Amino acid sequence: MEGYASDAGFPNNLKIQKEAQESMAFGASLLTQGDASSALTHISRSLQLYPTADAHYNMGICQYMLKDTDKALDHWHKSLSLDPNQADVYVSLGNIYFMSKKDPQQAISYMTKAQQLAPEDPEIMFNLACMQESSGSLEPAIQLYEKAIEHGLEKAKAYLRNAIVKQMAQSSK
């Protein structure tokens, strides 16, 4: 949930679409400043004028920041219905299902889809590895930590060591 979409998905040929784009861009800038309440107003306006996958994604971020997980999930699912190839949306869904909904299998499913869409993203590899490890799937977790390290994610080194120690402890039982 790090990046915010600002203007993708808008044809520039109609006044209403331009207004929607401007509302969304302003709302996204407010999100980057941490002002979800104000962003909500502008992104809502964008959605009223010209609903896009990016606008639904950003609305999901707003709702999540405002602690309304169910509304966030609803907007992220709407975003995927408009564009099913957004790795960031699957990451957000995976994180929500893992941390808030306490459904690790659903979380792993979403994060796996994110990784398929962005196979070189070390943060996605790392998040999926953490989910796999916490679910007891140490071998896939170890492989993902190694891959994340290969892609330059230094913080994965400590997690890899811990997962290997856990695996060794399980093997010695």
Side-chain angles (χ1 to χ4, degrees), residues 1-144:
M1 293 184 277
E2 292 177 17
Y4 308 109
S6 61
D7 61 5
F10 287 99
N12 292 322
N13 59 353
L14 296 175
K15 182 180 176 183
I16 199 159
Q17 292 168 339
K18 183 168 176 33
E19 185 181 340
Q21 180 183 16
E22 290 169 357
S23 290
M24 221 258 292
F26 189 65
S29 73
L30 291 167
L31 275 177
T32 62
Q33 297 168 31
D35 188 354
S37 294
S38 296
L40 184 78
T41 301
H42 296 281
I43 295 170
S44 292
R45 176 76 178 138
S46 179
L47 281 169
Q48 290 170 350
L49 293 170
Y50 190 76
T52 65
D54 289 335
H56 279 292
Y57 173 70
N58 283 342
M59 182 59 82
I61 297 291
C62 285
Q63 296 295 351
Y64 178 75
M65 290 173 73
L66 295 169
K67 311 267 188 259
D68 194 333
T69 304
D70 290 332
K71 284 184 182 176
L73 289 171
D74 183 52
H75 281 284
W76 289 331
H77 286 291
K78 287 177 182 175
S79 180
L80 289 177
S81 73
L82 294 170
D83 180 1
N85 296 312
Q86 299 180 85
D88 287 346
V89 178
Y90 286 104
V91 168
S92 295
L93 287 166
N95 287 333
I96 289 290
Y97 275 91
F98 190 74
M99 295 183 295
S100 299
K101 297 290 186 182
K102 307 295 184 208
D103 185 346
Q105 292 313 310
Q106 186 65 52
I108 289 169
S109 176
Y110 283 127
M111 201 62 72
T112 299
K113 181 65 176 174
Q115 197 209 7
Q116 291 167 350
L117 292 170
E120 303 300 314
D121 187 319
E123 287 290 339
I124 294 174
M125 293 172 203
F126 177 77
N127 286 341
L128 180 55
C130 290
M131 291 175 184
Q132 293 281 12
E133 181 181 355
S134 76
S135 297
S137 299
L138 294 175
E139 190 56 39
I142 289 169
Q143 291 171 5
L144 286 163

